[in-house]
Each structure stands twice: as C-alpha cells, then as structure tokens.
Amino acid sequence: RVTLADTPPTTIMGLSSYFPASLYAPTASAALARANATKASGDSGFAAASVSEKFSHPAAGFMAASGKAEYGLDYFLKGALAGGICCSITHGALTPVDVVKTRMQLEPTKYTGMISGFNKVIAEEGAGALLTGLGPTAFGYFVQGWFKFGGVEYFKIQAAQSMTEQQTWDNRNSIYLGASAAAEFIADIFLCPLEATRIRLVSNPTYADSMLGCMAKMVKEEGVIGAFYSGFGPILAKQVPYTMAKFAVQGATAEKIYDSLGKTPKEMSSGENISVSLASGVVAGVTAAIISHPADTLLSKINKAGAGGSGGMFSRLANIAAETGLVKLCTQGLAARCVMIGTLTAGQFGIFDIVMNAVGASKFHFHDPSKGDH
C-alpha cells in the first residue's frame, strides 16, 4: 500500500506539495503531458511548464469583461459598508419628511398637506419633534443598507458567474430583480424591529424617551413578535417590490443614459458616473415609491397602537385596509413620499458610488459582449 509519506513531493514554482501534480493543471491532458515531460527532464521542467500556463476559470471571460479580476469577500464587504453608509445618511437626513409623511398616513384629517403638516408639528410640538425616531431610523437603515446593497452585489455577481457573458447580458433585468428581492428579504428581518420602533415613536412621541427605552417597553407590553414583527408582512410587501423596482429601474435608466452619451462606465470619470447614478436614482425612486406606497401606508397604520383591532396580523391588516379604502391606501401621503424617496434613492446611489471609490472598489457593471471588451 502506498501512503502519502511514500510519495515524493511535487515542486510547484519552488514550493513543495504532496498533492498530485494534476490538481495544479488546467486540463487533464495538459497534466499528463507535463507529467511525462517531468520524467524526462526532472522537476525543473515541470516548474517551467507550470509557469508558462495559466489556469482558465469558467467565469474568466465574464470577469475580464467586467473590468475586475476578482469579486471576492473584500469586494462584498466594501459594497455592504457603502450600502450601510448611504442608507443611514439618506434616511437619517430625511427624518423630518418621514415624520410628516407618517403623520399624514396615520391622521389624514389633521395633517392634510406636506407644508401645513410641517407647520402644525412645529407649532404644536416644537421643531425638535421633526427629528422623532432619528436614532432607530439611522441605525436601522444602516443595517438594512448593509444587507441590501451588499446582498444585491453578492447575488447578482454569483448569478453572473454561473452564466456565459451573453446569458448574463440577456438576463440582466431578471438578475437585478432576483438579486434585489433576495437581498431585501434578508435585510427586512433586521429592519422590521427598528422600523416598528420608529413608527411607534412618531405616532406617540410621549411613549418613550429613547430608542432602547421604546423597544423595551414594546416588548414588555406586546412580546417580541407582537411588538416588532406585526408589520413584517407589510414591510415585505412594501420593501421587496420597492427594492426590485429601485435596482431594476435604476440599472435600466443608467444604461439608457450611457447609451445616449455613447460611452461606457469605464470611459467616464468618477464624477460623471456619480451624476448618472443621481439622475437614474431619481427616476428609480419615484417609480419605486408609487409601486410600494399602499404597503407603506399599511405598515404605518399597523404599527400604531390599537390599529386594526386586537386580532392576528392578517386580520388587523384586513380591518385597516377596509377602514382606509383602496384609493386612500394608494394616495395618502403619496406626493410627500415621491419627493422623499426620489431624493433618497438618488442620494443612495450617488453616495454608494462615492464610498466605493473611496475604499478602492471598482463597481460591477453588466457588459454587452457584442460591443467588445470594456
């Protein structure tokens, strides 16, 4: 019986290895040829042959066309960090708009418009009330952005690596939709408790003095599931279609802008690419806001204490929908939300690009193989 100890080591570029030499070869035939050559000329000939040949990964063409040799853990962590930062900054900065929008959804007879809503909140509660829920908003959307943007980059690149270049290009919209849906589902598991806390503080500013105090009180009164995941269905119904539309529309709009300019992302400066991201982000944000608004209204209402009765989540949602009506579900606070989400989405894609550039990551773009190497 031959053991590992009985097997002489193979020398690979000056390093010894006990693994079979064939494992280092790109093909079995090449391995056999080099093995025969080794018998005649010794290890030095094998080492020379190893240096002269390159391993060809099935996704090598895709990687070369994408303009980056490798998308590994380092890239995905940078994408997640950029996503967390862009979502935290944009959602945090728009907290005053979100406060008024949420009040308009919860009390439409009292808060009838955006401007009048701002004035009423300031007159009755002071300007500081416009920052209600800033803590859970900034933290919650950092976590959500980490998983959402990082997840989208991960899932779309994994999908692209499993296809040929042409298949990747032909299916890019489906890849955007699938990657964003999967990433958002994961992100919402972490976002839901913080969003429930934010809405509770906005709807009842005297409920608690802080984010942690509010969360502790909610758990004590309603339990973990009741307090934090009553709105999980609505948040999925809101966020998953929103994110799918956001990434797919942004990608398609950016592609049209590049085509109209007759340039590819690699042929433009970082500032020009950021401008494209901002412009396409506005279009994507408004589209996504309209699609996801009914679920956003339901989410705001179900997280208000006592809304929809005392039954389970679905019975409460049905009661709220019946009480509100389809038209109001689709239109209450919609104008404010279009302004908010259009601005927010443009800012997110712009900041994402800025952070990716700052950390030295080359952003992944789909590539049309018929247009040559980009």
Side-chain angles (χ1 to χ4, degrees):
R1 195 179 89 183
V2 178
T3 64
L4 185 62
D6 298 322
T7 306
T10 298
T11 302
I12 305 296
M13 297 181 69
L15 300 175
S16 294
S17 172
Y18 283 93
F19 289 102
S22 59
L23 292 180
Y24 298 95
T27 65
S29 59
L32 182 59
R34 279 203 304 277
N36 291 331
T38 303
K39 293 177 182 178
S41 59
D43 287 342
S44 59
F46 178 82
S50 297
V51 173
S52 66
E53 294 193 35
K54 293 181 179 179
F55 177 78
S56 180
H57 190 279
F62 155 74
M63 291 303 187
S66 299
K68 189 173 177 67
E70 181 179 333
Y71 290 92
L73 179 61
D74 181 61
Y75 175 81
F76 298 126
L77 288 176
K78 289 176 179 178
L81 176 64
I85 291 173
C86 76
C87 287
S88 182
I89 290 174
T90 52
H91 279 277
L94 288 172
T95 295
V97 178
D98 207 18
V99 167
V100 176
K101 183 267 300 180
T102 302
R103 296 285 181 92
M104 290 172 65
Q105 290 172 321
L106 296 177
E107 301 179 72
T109 57
K110 181 177 181 179
Y111 299 95
T112 56
M114 196 68 184
I115 303 300
S116 62
F118 269 103
N119 293 333
K120 193 176 289 291
V121 171
I122 293 171
E124 294 182 356
E125 304 169 42
L130 293 173
L131 295 179
T132 303
L134 176 60
T137 296
F139 180 69
Y141 280 96
F142 178 87
V143 175
Q144 189 236 22
W146 176 281
F147 287 101
K148 176 162 67 176
F149 277 83
V152 167
E153 292 300 307
Y154 176 79
F155 287 121
K156 73 181 182 183
I157 288 173
Q158 294 304 307
Q161 287 180 338
S162 69
M163 304 178 187
T164 65
E165 289 181 57
Q166 190 61 53
Q167 288 172 333
T168 298
W169 176 251
D170 293 341
N171 292 283
R172 63 194 183 281
N173 290 327
S174 297
I175 292 173
Y176 268 128
L177 293 171
S180 56
E184 186 61 51
F185 181 87
I186 295 170
D188 288 345
I189 295 172
F190 298 92
L191 174 65
C192 197
L194 292 151
E195 182 70 355
T197 303
R198 179 195 71 80
I199 292 174
R200 183 62 58 89
L201 288 171
V202 170
S203 63
N204 185 3
T206 62
Y207 185 78
D209 296 329
S210 65
M211 178 182 77
L212 293 178
C214 181
M215 295 179 84
K217 188 174 180 180
M218 289 171 68
V219 170
K220 183 178 180 181
E221 292 178 351
E222 304 170 41
V224 173
I225 300 300
F228 296 143
Y229 288 97
S230 290
F232 189 58
I235 206 170
L236 287 178
K238 164 196 168 184
Q239 289 293 131
V240 172
Y242 160 77
T243 301
M244 292 171 71
K246 170 180 170 176
F247 281 94
V249 173
Q250 191 272 338
T253 305
E255 187 181 306
K256 296 296 183 185
I257 295 174
Y258 286 121
D259 286 345
S260 69
L261 296 173
K263 294 183 178 181
T264 67
K266 289 191 69 177
E267 295 169 341
M268 298 180 70
S269 68
S270 60
E272 290 172 330
N273 280 321
I274 290 169
S275 297
V276 172
S277 293
L278 290 170
S280 57
V282 172
V283 177
V286 173
T287 304
I290 294 170
I291 290 172
S292 62
H293 191 69
D296 182 69
T297 303
L298 282 174
L299 179 64
S300 294
K301 290 180 178 294
I302 199 170
N303 280 305
K304 183 179 181 181
S310 57
M313 179 180 69
F314 291 106
S315 65
R316 290 177 62 199
L317 287 172
N319 292 338
I320 292 170
E323 292 168 3
T324 307
L326 180 61
V327 174
K328 289 184 177 180
L329 276 178
C330 296
T331 58
Q332 277 180 354
L334 178 59
R337 190 158 185 265
C338 283
V339 172
M340 174 186 168
I341 299 300
T343 306
L344 179 147
T345 304
Q348 284 180 359
F349 284 110
I351 295 171
F352 181 83
D353 282 6
I354 290 171
V355 176
M356 290 290 275
N357 289 334
V359 298
S362 179
K363 185 178 175 182
F364 171 87
H365 289 281
F366 288 110
H367 161 73
D368 184 357
S370 66
K371 294 184 178 180
D373 214 20
H374 291 170

